[in-house]
Amino acid sequence: MRRSAAGIHTTSFLLRLVASTALPLLFAAAPAAAAPRSVTTLNDGWQVRIAPTDTTAATAHPGEAKWFPAAVPGSVQQDLIAAARVPDPFKGINEGAIQWVGRTDWEYARTLNLTPAMLARDHLDLVFDGLDTFAKVTVNGHPLLTANNAHRRWRVDAKPFLKPGRNTITITFAAPIRTLQPMVLAEKNPLPGEYDSAFGDEPKGEQTSPYIRKPKYHYSWDWGPRILAIGPWRPIRLEAWDNARIDEFRVEQEALTDVEARLTAVFDIVADRPGTTTVRAVVEGGAPLLRQVALAPGHNRVTVPLTVAQPKRWQPVGYGEQPLYRVSGSLLSDNTVEDSADRRIGLRTVELIRQGGSFGFRVNGTPIFAKGANLIPFDMFPARVTPAAMRPLLTAARDTHMNMIRVWGGGYYLDDAFYDMADEMGLMVWQDFMFGGAVTPPDAAFRENVRIEAEEQVARLQSHPSIVLWAGGNEILSGWENWADRKAFKKAVGADEQERIGVGMAVLFDRVLRGAVMAKSPGVPYWPGSPSTDYEGPTDTDKDGDRHFWDVWSGSKPVERYLDSCPRFMSEYGFQAMPDLSTIRGFAGPGPLAADSPVMKAHQRFLAGEGNERLLFYIRERLGEPRDFADLVYLSQVNQAQAIGMAALHHRACRPVTMGSLYWQLNDVWPAISWASIDHDGRWKLLQYETRRFFAPQAIVAERHDGKTRIALVSDATTPTPARWRVRAIDMAGRRLGERTGDVTLSPLSATDIVTLDDTTLFGTAAPARSYAVAELIVGDAVVSRAIVERVLPKAMAYPDPKIAVVWKGHDLTVTAGAFARAIMLDFGDTAAQPSDDGFDLLPGESRTVTIASDASPAALARALTVRSLGAHR
């Protein structure tokens, strides 16, 4: 039965855990008189105000010094935005107006009504799944907890300070910069960080971010704003239990064959007194196994062996199905379930390919070429990210033939729902630990804090078959080795301090984090960072390990530099583009738009707001001068799609030397000009459509160099595939200049060079600007891949007027080209609309029908539509 006191509910009968919960709702195993664990959610009824001790902020903002409603999980910034007390920082140039919030101390409070029956329980634990970041918790005025890590769960027994009836819980959050800055400013050489503040709250080069365990991107990045979120960003609850409870439940895979899977169910049981209990474990559909154990006070590790006959293997998308098994664990007393936990698992083997400097993944014995993108946080405010917001991005990744997502290390550990979706879709996850680029403090206390964080997070996520790698973080080790500011820092601090800091990082990334993975998720590879060589040689090279390549874009090198080498695994490379015009209107408002306007610079974080000049530089180099702002949006998206497409296809053609291509980046944390292929409003740029083409299971690669065209064929299939290739040379009038073709059987999991054609053979005497080639791969009767070969830069090509005609039928649109139409974009301007395909080429006389997803009527869409192409651009 359920009792209620002032909105607080307790449960006296079994609650069963669902797989997506972040922390199990479990019940203690105890003698017959003991009650099961009960869980009371404490997410409602909170208020927040400026902490009374922060008199400066209270004087400046007297309205916020009084209590106002707070959402938990959430942040003070979200509450202020919701109450219209601060402007939305995602709109216009409002980012500066919210900075004071993150520099202020805040106090949360709520009441908790308890009955004598509740207080009769042996333990009443307050559990905080996430406090961001420096927090002190009191109960009825008594200090209870001091927290200093946003990535950890905090649990404390509050019973000694609770009483019948009304109790008050307060959480006081200290401003992170104010807390750390005295220490940082006292340092002669503060640790190198990530991005300097644009708001004057920290001196250049004297950042507090290296010293705090908080999402690094809150301090700003070159794609996101500076919003130092403060608050209880994960759920809060009260857990009542008596003699014992299950603290952790994991399922380890010991062996896997086609005949049998051998598993171990691992229980971490916390007991407060000696006793006995029966541990029960079962794989869904199988027979339960029971074990009677004696418990000692403290933590007790108990294991139960399990087997699955004729197991079905979880496979990455494109390589098979994704069967999942549910494993349940429970504690029994007198045949009554007193506590339980569930995990959903997938059966598979994962190996990291490392022979001779190689880097790649072998799943279930199959070497997988990793195709995908880097994922940054979904939003500046994690608490407002729902499963409904995550699913379209993961669906888009799967539907455009990606098989891997890298969860980048400057954000936060994502909710279980994300990994549940990845499990179901067959998307492999490269999971970084949350280190974004700053040099880490060398002290043992910092490493111990991280150890607890790492073990908690690995244990929470280890059941997900989608996670195929844990990596130490992003660019910490390579930055220490290669970056100019790190080299200057090492010189400034001297040899002894340099060694102390370097050894501290080695202990953290080679021992502490590796140890957490080995202890809590054995069987999943660990990698010390990205890029890395696992301490086997220089980092960030083509010869060994994974690579981050930024000569193109950040280094202003031509996009053709992507073709210069074959890295072992390209885990980062990127190229910017404007978002959809309707997204731009959402943050910029009505009125004239210009690349160098204050609002456009505010939403462009590369080069501290000057990144649109780099955007224009590349457009002018490759595509010519934009005619107007809408044309700038179009050309930027064409450039991005072509650049990343060139790189990704080259990586695939380098197989087996190269075994992965993860571009930067899939998504945005706010509406911005960035490297994302899907903008913050969920609208696809042309790159996302192009991804479906360059990551197709079978693809043709056409690369030009020194007047010659290399043709290679790529197949991800695990069986031979009969196919035909064809290369046709055509002039701008549509006349055929020449053709080469051949039959081939594509070898499984391969890239094969087919032919290299010189211009004379292919084009004869045709003028380079007035001729092009079409390379196609044909499987059965279908063209499964097409590549356009341009002999000069696109801006020099004499593209004809494409003579495009459109026919509407409801929300379906048929586009027909009278002449060659290169890089068609269906542009609906300010009207939000997403075509089922976009950015495609049409040869003379070809048609394509697409479906337009939009709330607008077909008539409104027809009025809004502008069909753009590189020929029509002129």
Side-chain angles (χ1 to χ4, degrees):
M1 61 183 295
R2 182 167 295 183
R3 291 180 296 181
S4 175
I8 305 302
H9 300 281
T10 60
T11 305
S12 61
F13 57 91
L14 175 64
L15 293 178
R16 188 163 182 87
L17 173 73
V18 295
S20 63
T21 52
L23 187 70
L25 306 183
L26 307 173
F27 303 95
R37 184 195 322 197
S38 68
V39 177
T40 303
T41 60
L42 300 180
N43 294 335
D44 298 328
W46 289 91
Q47 292 185 306
V48 66
R49 66 179 178 181
I50 294 173
T53 53
D54 194 343
T55 55
T56 301
T59 301
H61 306 278
E64 286 66 45
K66 301 174 183 178
W67 293 111
F68 58 95
V72 175
S75 65
V76 177
Q77 285 89 342
Q78 289 171 254
D79 298 326
L80 293 170
I81 294 167
R85 293 171 180 253
V86 295
D88 186 342
F90 286 15
K91 305 288 187 182
I93 54 174
N94 292 336
E95 180 188 353
I98 203 172
Q99 295 305 308
W100 69 270
V101 182
R103 303 170 189 162
T104 301
D105 298 341
W106 295 90
E107 183 179 73
Y108 282 73
R110 67 153 289 164
T111 58
L112 172 64
N113 288 305
L114 292 178
T115 64
M118 283 289 288
L119 286 166
R121 304 299 299 271
D122 288 353
H123 301 273
L124 293 174
D125 290 355
L126 280 174
V127 184
F128 304 88
D129 283 337
L131 297 172
D132 193 359
T133 294
F134 295 118
K136 293 184 177 180
V137 179
T138 66
V139 171
N140 296 327
H142 298 281
L144 190 68
L145 169 68
T146 298
N148 63 353
N149 187 330
H151 302 299
R152 281 178 56 182
R153 178 188 67 233
W154 300 90
R155 175 189 289 272
V156 62
D157 190 351
K159 183 179 177 181
F161 308 109
L162 292 169
K163 60 186 180 181
R166 183 185 178 92
N167 296 265
T168 301
I169 306 171
T170 64
I171 314 171
T172 303
F173 289 92
I177 293 175
R178 180 185 298 166
T179 300
L180 293 171
Q181 198 164 59
M183 176 192 69
V184 174
L185 295 181
E187 293 278 351
K188 182 179 178 182
N189 297 289
L191 295 174
E194 287 106 354
Y195 288 87
D196 285 322
S197 174
F199 299 100
D201 48 0
E202 293 185 302
K204 302 293 184 184
E206 297 181 277
Q207 301 172 13
T208 57
S209 64
Y211 302 88
I212 190 173
R213 294 306 297 145
K214 173 182 176 62
K216 298 297 186 179
Y217 78 110
H218 284 175
Y219 287 84
S220 80
W221 221 265
D222 56 3
W223 35 253
R226 184 178 179 90
I227 301 178
L228 295 175
I230 288 180
W233 71 289
R234 296 259 194 221
I236 302 173
R237 62 189 175 276
L238 180 72
E239 294 190 2
W241 58 285
D242 294 317
N243 297 339
R245 60 177 174 84
I246 301 176
D247 191 57
E248 183 181 290
F249 178 64
R250 296 182 288 111
V251 182
E252 296 180 359
Q253 179 181 291
E254 304 294 341
L256 177 62
T257 69
D258 292 339
V259 176
E260 181 183 68
R262 294 201 302 273
L263 311 175
T264 299
V266 182
F267 297 77
D268 180 9
I269 303 170
V270 175
D272 66 358
R273 69 196 72 175
T276 60
T277 190
T278 300
V279 177
R280 178 182 187 269
V282 61
V283 179
E284 186 175 14
L289 289 177
L290 289 83
R291 178 183 174 189
Q292 190 170 27
V293 296
L295 300 178
H299 286 263
N300 298 261
R301 186 178 188 270
V302 178
T303 62
V304 178
L306 297 169
T307 59
V308 177
Q310 285 77 51
K312 298 178 180 178
R313 296 177 187 243
W314 181 95
Q315 298 282 7
V317 61
Y319 294 85
E321 301 300 318
Q322 292 79 44
L324 299 168
Y325 296 82
R326 189 169 297 279
V327 181
S328 301
S330 55
L331 304 181
L332 302 177
S333 178
D334 295 332
N335 295 319
T336 300
V337 175
E338 300 288 349
D339 202 348
S340 68
D342 285 356
R343 286 291 182 266
R344 194 176 68 169
I345 67 168
L347 303 174
R348 51 94 180 99
T349 60
V350 180
E351 305 166 73
L352 200 57
I353 303 169
R354 287 291 292 137
Q355 295 81 10
S358 297
F359 185 95
F361 295 89
R362 187 181 288 116
V363 181
N364 298 319
T366 302
I368 308 292
F369 189 98
K371 304 180 295 186
N374 289 262
L375 183 87
I376 63 174
F378 290 88
D379 194 271
M380 286 305 299
F381 303 112
R384 69 184 186 188
V385 177
T386 64
M390 293 188 284
R391 184 171 294 277
L393 281 164
L394 290 182
T395 301
R398 180 200 61 194
D399 291 351
T400 53
H401 305 301
M402 295 186 190
N403 58 29
M404 176 172 279
I405 296 294
R406 176 188 171 217
V407 179
W408 168 80
Y412 59 93
Y413 304 95
L414 298 172
D415 291 344
D416 289 75
F418 171 85
Y419 303 95
D420 286 338
M421 294 176 201
D423 294 344
E424 294 158 6
M425 296 183 190
L427 289 169
M428 297 182 290
V429 174
W430 168 317
Q431 177 65 53
D432 279 3
F433 284 100
M434 291 302 119
F435 291 89
V439 175
T440 54
D443 56 283
F446 180 85
R447 291 195 296 273
E448 176 62 13
N449 196 351
V450 171
R451 180 194 66 80
I452 298 169
E453 164 198 323
E455 291 186 359
E456 283 181 356
Q457 295 294 347
V458 176
R460 176 174 71 91
L461 298 175
Q462 66 86 218
S463 66
H464 294 283
S466 54
I467 298 178
V468 298
L469 183 77
W470 280 92
N474 177 73
E475 297 181 349
I476 299 99
L477 304 179
S478 60
W480 181 248
E481 181 178 324
N482 300 321
W483 293 358
D485 68 326
R486 272 57 170 169
K487 291 179 180 180
F489 172 81
K490 288 186 281 189
K491 182 178 180 180
V493 300
D496 290 346
E497 183 67 3
Q498 174 184 334
E499 181 178 11
R500 187 174 80 94
I501 294 170
V503 168
M505 286 195 291
V507 172
L508 176 62
F509 293 105
D510 193 33
R511 297 182 188 176
V512 174
L513 297 180
R514 191 190 302 272
V517 177
M518 292 177 65
K520 301 297 183 178
S521 189
V524 174
Y526 172 77
W527 194 239
S530 183
S532 173
T533 58
D534 203 6
Y535 300 98
E536 294 178 0
T539 60
D540 207 11
T541 72
D542 289 333
K543 296 180 180 179
D544 192 5
D546 68 312
R547 184 89 205 271
H548 291 190
F549 184 79
W550 287 103
D551 287 3
V552 178
W553 186 264
S554 294
S556 299
K557 302 299 184 183
V559 297
E560 288 75 18
R561 286 290 293 273
Y562 285 133
L563 308 180
D564 286 352
S565 63
C566 292
R568 298 295 188 164
F569 192 107
M570 189 68 86
S571 50
E572 270 194 33
Y573 62 101
F575 203 92
Q576 277 200 0
M578 293 273 184
D580 190 87
L581 189 58
S582 62
T583 298
I584 292 172
R585 284 297 184 194
F587 70 75
L593 295 170
D596 60 354
S597 69
V599 68
M600 294 305 295
K601 292 174 73 172
H603 288 254
Q604 163 63 276
R605 305 318 296 258
F606 180 66
L607 295 180
E610 300 302 325
N612 289 336
E613 283 300 315
R614 186 66 50 84
L615 200 74
L616 283 162
F617 163 77
Y618 273 109
I619 290 172
R620 289 163 177 155
E621 284 290 303
R622 297 193 72 250
L623 302 177
E625 189 69 28
R627 295 177 302 184
D628 53 30
F629 189 86
D631 200 40
L632 168 63
V633 171
Y634 164 68
L635 293 178
S636 75
Q637 292 199 20
V638 171
N639 228 13
Q640 181 191 42
Q642 292 184 352
I644 299 301
M646 179 188 298
L649 285 168
H650 176 72
H651 299 154
R652 297 187 70 191
C654 285
R655 182 176 185 159
V657 173
T658 304
M659 285 300 292
S661 183
L662 309 180
Y663 69 75
W664 186 271
Q665 64 209 56
L666 181 64
N667 62 315
D668 273 327
V669 300
W670 76 321
I673 301 100
S674 79
W675 296 268
S677 56
I678 301 176
D679 70 31
H680 188 259
D681 289 353
R683 298 180 182 116
W684 291 21
K685 299 179 187 177
L686 295 186
L687 171 57
Q688 191 64 38
Y689 296 98
E690 192 67 19
T691 300
R692 187 159 49 203
R693 294 183 271 273
F694 61 67
F695 278 159
Q698 286 81 38
I700 191 165
V701 183
E703 294 180 353
R704 279 187 54 75
H705 185 70
D706 292 338
K708 297 178 181 179
T709 301
R710 169 202 180 198
I711 302 297
L713 303 179
V714 177
S715 178
D716 291 336
T718 57
T719 56
T721 305
R724 183 162 56 96
W725 62 271
R726 177 174 67 197
V727 182
R728 292 176 287 165
I730 305 170
D731 69 13
M732 293 304 175
R735 290 187 294 269
R736 188 76 55 83
L737 302 174
E739 181 173 329
R740 291 288 299 275
T741 187
D743 293 324
V744 66
T745 297
L746 302 177
S747 298
L749 306 171
S750 70
T752 306
D753 278 12
I754 295 298
V755 67
T756 297
L757 302 170
D758 61 49
D759 281 359
T760 302
T761 300
L762 192 56
F763 296 101
T765 61
R770 303 194 64 82
S771 57
Y772 61 96
V774 182
E776 294 171 316
L777 178 61
I778 303 162
V779 176
D781 296 326
V783 175
V784 298
S785 180
R786 171 186 283 180
I788 300 297
V789 179
E790 295 161 320
R791 302 173 65 188
V792 295
L793 288 172
K795 69 179 181 180
M797 294 290 289
Y799 294 121
D801 179 348
K803 301 175 183 177
I804 288 175
V806 300
V807 175
W808 286 91
K809 186 177 181 181
H811 278 78
D812 290 341
L813 170 66
T814 300
V815 184
T816 303
F820 180 44
R822 180 75 161 123
I824 289 173
M825 180 184 192
L826 304 176
D827 185 354
F828 293 93
D830 297 353
T831 302
Q834 182 167 304
S836 57
D837 197 8
D838 211 351
F840 49 84
D841 305 310
L842 289 178
L843 300 181
E846 285 187 337
S847 297
R848 183 162 305 183
T849 299
V850 298
T851 299
I852 312 300
S854 177
D855 292 334
S857 68
L861 291 171
R863 289 192 298 270
L865 176 64
T866 298
V867 181
R868 301 184 184 276
S869 72
L870 292 184
H873 158 71
R874 297 186 180 88

